[in-house]
């Protein structure tokens, strides 16, 4: 199937796709902040440049878009056009993600991946985040 957009339209669409401060990332950050967690963003010094970092806990969170990171869900399906481009592109992204997670682990860090599609169930995501991070300072003092 041929692309339904002109090359210029497709270029504009692709240029608009962000890598930082995406909608899903902002939702996760808002959940964490409301729970009392404090964090750093996009740590350049760490492999994979995690979206959310807790340096004292040695924990990092990646908020991944299902399409771009090859998740096995409806949003992660490959397009029907240009499979010769998209197949290797997404496979390379998945391989890179696994490599960066291994590098983080080798440095003594734990990582959690939150998928875009998981944000349909906010309570479940919130529970996973809290289980991964443990109590906040205020939780420990109470």
């Amino acid at each position: 199937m041929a692309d339904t957009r002109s090359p210029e339209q497709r270029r504009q669409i692709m240029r608009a796709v962000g890598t930082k401060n995406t909608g899903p990332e902002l939702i996760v950050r808002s959940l964490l902040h409301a729970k009392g967690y404090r964090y750093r963003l996009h740590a350049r010094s760490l492999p994979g440049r995690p979206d959310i970092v807790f340096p004292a806990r040695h924990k990092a969170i990646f908020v991944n878009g299902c399409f771009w990171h090859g998740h096995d869900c409806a949003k992660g399906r490959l397009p029907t056009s240009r499979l010769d481009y998209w197949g290797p592109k997404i496979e390379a992204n998945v391989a890179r993600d696994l490599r960066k997670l291994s590098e983080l682990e080798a440095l003594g860090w734990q990582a959690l991946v939150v998928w875009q599609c998981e944000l349909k169930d906010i309570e479940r995501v919130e529970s996973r985040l809290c289980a991964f991070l443990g109590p906040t300072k205020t939780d420990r003092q109470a």
Side-chain angles (χ1 to χ4, degrees):
M1 174 188 254
D3 196 346
T4 58
R5 311 282 184 171
S6 72
E8 183 56 33
Q9 288 173 321
R10 182 60 59 203
R11 190 174 299 111
Q12 291 301 318
I13 290 168
M14 297 306 284
R15 288 179 76 187
V17 175
T19 58
K20 291 182 183 176
N21 304 315
T22 62
E25 184 182 328
L26 294 176
I27 290 169
V28 172
R29 285 168 31 189
S30 176
L31 284 172
L32 291 168
H33 195 269
K35 283 292 193 181
Y37 293 102
R38 299 303 178 254
Y39 46 81
R40 299 285 174 254
L41 300 175
H42 314 291
R44 291 182 183 189
S45 61
L46 292 175
R49 197 178 288 181
D51 298 307
I52 304 167
V53 178
F54 300 84
R57 299 169 189 254
H58 271 71
K59 294 189 178 191
I61 298 173
F62 292 90
V63 183
N64 287 351
C66 296
F67 173 76
W68 297 104
H69 296 271
H71 191 225
D72 187 23
C73 71
K75 290 180 182 246
R77 282 188 304 225
L78 288 174
T80 55
S81 64
R82 299 194 59 209
L83 281 176
D84 58 320
Y85 172 78
W86 287 111
K89 165 95 173 123
I90 301 302
E91 284 176 20
N93 288 352
V94 170
R96 182 196 63 227
D97 291 345
L98 291 172
R99 191 172 61 249
K100 296 302 177 183
L101 287 171
S102 293
E103 290 173 17
L104 263 176
E105 189 177 309
L107 293 172
W109 285 71
Q110 291 179 304
L112 175 72
V113 176
V114 177
W115 293 98
Q116 171 188 5
C117 65
E118 291 177 317
L119 295 174
K120 288 185 262 181
D121 187 348
I122 293 293
E123 289 176 5
R124 183 166 182 249
V125 170
E126 190 174 350
S127 176
R128 280 185 64 216
L129 291 169
C130 292
F132 173 68
L133 294 169
T136 64
K137 281 185 180 180
T138 56
D139 291 338
R140 283 180 260 168
Q141 292 172 353

